[in-house]
Amino acid sequence: MPDIEAPDTSEPKGAKYILTCLGIGLLAGLLSGLFGVGGGTVIVPLLVLVLAYNQRLAAGTSLAAIIPIASVGVISYAIHGSVAWIPGLILAAGAVVGAQIGTWLLPRVPLAALRWSFIGFLVVVIVSLFIVVPSRDAGLPLNAFTIAGLVVLGVATGTVAGLIGVGGGIVVVPALMLLFGTSDLIAKGTSLLMMIPTAISGTVGNLRRGNVDLLAAALIGIAACTTTALGAWLATVVDPFWGNVLFATFLTFIAVQLGVRTVRERRA
C-alpha cells in the first residue's frame, strides 16, 4: 500500500497540529513511564491517523521524540534505584547491531509472516505474565551467563525493531522479567536506558533522509516529559501482579493493532 503523503512541514502549523502533538505526547509519556516502553506504539499510529503522516515520517518523528521521553523515564526510575546501568548499555550495543540485521532482512522476509510470528510471541508473553509475578527485590547481577544473554537479547530486540518497527521495550521488559528474573521496575528502567543511544543513532540516520518532523518531535517530547515521571511513579505504587495485568493489556492492544494492520494490507 502506498504511503499517505505527509503534510508540508514548511507551512505554518495550526492549533489542531499543536494540540494533537501535545495530546500524543501526554499519552505516550504516561505509558512510557508506566510500562518502560518508548511510546512509539502510540505516537506512530496517531501521527498517521490524525495528522496523515506517512509511515516513514511518523516512525522517524516518533524515534526523535523518544530521546527526551526515555531520558526523563530513566531519571525517574534511577531515583528509586531501578536502573541496571551496565546491562542497559550492553542491551543498547546489541540493539544497534540487531537493527542493522533487521533492516538487512526486511526486504528478504515476508512482512506478514514476521508480524504473525511476533503476534504469537506476544501471546506467549501475555500468558506468561499471569504465571510469573516478578519480585520487587530481584536485581540483575552480572556474570558470564547474563552478559551473553543480554547481548543475545539486545541483538534480537534490535532485529525485531528493524524488521517491523516495534519499539524495543515490548521485547526487553518481559524478557528481563521472565528470562532473567529481574524485578518489573528494574526491567522497565533498564529498558528505557537501552532506548536512548538506540533512538539517537536512529534519529541521526532519519534526519539525513528527511524522515523527521523536528517541530512535532519537540512538541511530543516536551509534553511527554510532563507525564513520564507520573507513569514511573504509578509503576512503583502498583502491585507487581496488577502491573503485569496492565502490561498484558497493553501488549494485547499492540498484538491486535498489528493483526488488524496485517489483514488490511493483505486485503489491499
Side-chain angles (χ1 to χ4, degrees):
M1 178 185 297
D3 286 336
I4 300 172
E5 288 299 323
D8 184 355
T9 55
S10 64
E11 294 179 357
K13 308 306 184 202
K16 176 186 175 182
Y17 170 91
I18 295 174
L19 292 175
T20 298
C21 290
L22 294 177
I24 292 173
L26 293 173
L27 179 59
L30 183 65
L31 295 178
S32 179
L34 183 58
F35 297 127
V37 297
T41 51
V42 175
I43 299 171
V44 173
L46 288 180
L47 285 177
V48 171
L49 294 174
V50 182
L51 294 181
Y53 278 49
N54 65 48
Q55 189 72 24
R56 292 186 182 88
L57 183 60
T61 301
S62 171
L63 200 61
I66 285 172
I67 297 172
I69 296 173
S71 299
V72 172
V74 168
I75 294 171
S76 301
Y77 276 94
I79 291 174
H80 301 283
S82 298
V83 178
W85 297 97
I86 296 178
L89 295 177
I90 294 173
L91 285 169
V96 170
V97 174
Q100 300 304 313
I101 297 174
T103 54
W104 179 80
L105 287 173
L106 184 57
R108 296 169 171 81
V109 182
L111 184 59
L114 290 170
R115 286 180 176 171
W116 287 121
S117 298
F118 187 69
I119 290 170
F121 164 77
L122 291 180
V123 171
V124 173
V125 169
I126 290 166
V127 173
S128 301
L129 287 173
F130 288 95
I131 299 174
V132 180
V133 179
S135 168
R136 284 278 161 91
D137 298 324
L140 185 54
L142 282 179
N143 53 50
F145 176 77
T146 56
I147 291 174
L150 289 169
V151 171
V152 172
L153 176 58
V155 172
T157 300
T159 302
V160 170
L163 281 169
I164 61 177
V166 175
I170 294 177
V171 177
V172 169
V173 173
L176 288 178
M177 290 192 297
L178 301 176
L179 300 180
F180 292 81
T182 306
S183 80
D184 58 328
L185 297 182
I186 290 180
K188 294 170 183 178
T190 305
S191 169
L192 289 168
L193 173 63
M194 177 207 72
M195 292 178 197
I196 297 174
T198 307
I200 291 173
S201 175
T203 298
V204 171
N206 285 324
L207 283 171
R208 291 173 179 171
R209 298 176 179 88
N211 287 331
V212 181
D213 182 345
L214 287 175
L215 178 57
L219 290 171
I220 293 170
I222 291 171
C225 288
T226 66
T227 55
T228 301
L230 173 62
W233 174 78
L234 288 173
T236 64
V237 299
V238 173
D239 180 80
F241 172 78
W242 289 109
N244 275 13
V245 171
L246 290 173
F247 191 50
T249 302
F250 177 71
L251 293 181
T252 301
F253 168 77
I254 301 304
V256 171
Q257 183 186 73
L258 282 173
V260 170
R261 184 188 305 172
T262 303
V263 171
R264 285 178 177 175
E265 290 180 358
R266 182 176 181 180
R267 290 177 178 175

